[in-house]
Amino acid sequence: MAGPPPMYQPTFSAAQLAACQAVTRRQSAPQAQVYRAKLALLLHEDPARDNVALGTHLGKHENWVRYWRKIWATEGFRLADRGGQGRKPAFSPAGGGHGQGAGLRSADPA
């Protein structure tokens, strides 16, 4: 390893490592979560491993490794993205006002 050790070296509990192993074994897991779980398992094995080597091993950029190391060390462990990202809907899909559902009419008792 050339240079100083990585600034952020997160630690993981046994439950977090078990969750990572479970995600990597699932066939229908989102790929983003699988890569994060693999990164966490590799960091558990060797916390001082540099970002470039980890990124090369996983097929990701070193900045991606650096980002997740920082998140886990400062904000806590998570595999999923934060909620609330993306564009919000322009209208409420649960509406029911005029013009919506015009083809579905209830039967008149008369």
Side-chain angles (χ1 to χ4, degrees), residues 66-86:
R66 190 174 296 114
Y67 171 81
W68 282 104
R69 273 188 141 152
K70 181 179 178 181
I71 292 292
W72 291 335
T74 59
E75 297 179 14
F77 181 76
R78 63 181 164 88
L79 292 176
D81 290 324
R82 285 189 302 240
Q85 297 180 0

Side-chain angles (χ1 to χ4, degrees), residues 90-101:
F91 64 91
S92 174
H98 301 300
Q100 293 183 353

Side-chain angles (χ1 to χ4, degrees), residues 6 8 38 47 51 77 83 85-86 97 105 110:
Y8 298 104
K38 287 180 180 181
N51 297 332
F77 181 76
Q85 297 180 0
R105 303 205 179 188

Side-chain angles (χ1 to χ4, degrees), residues 17-104:
L17 293 172
C20 289
Q21 290 171 346
V23 167
T24 58
R25 286 192 297 259
R26 280 185 23 210
Q27 292 183 352
S28 62
Q31 286 299 301
Q33 290 183 12
V34 172
Y35 279 115
R36 294 170 196 157
K38 287 180 180 181
L39 175 62
L41 293 171
L42 289 171
L43 284 173
H44 176 70
E45 291 175 9
D46 186 9
R49 195 166 176 189
D50 66 309
N51 297 332
V52 176
L54 287 168
T56 302
H57 181 78
L58 293 171
K60 296 286 190 177
H61 195 271
E62 64 186 90
N63 290 341
W64 178 84
V65 175
R66 190 174 296 114
Y67 171 81
W68 282 104
R69 273 188 141 152
K70 181 179 178 181
I71 292 292
W72 291 335
T74 59
E75 297 179 14
F77 181 76
R78 63 181 164 88
L79 292 176
D81 290 324
R82 285 189 302 240
Q85 297 180 0
R87 185 175 178 170
K88 305 298 181 245
F91 64 91
S92 174
H98 301 300
Q100 293 183 353
L104 302 174

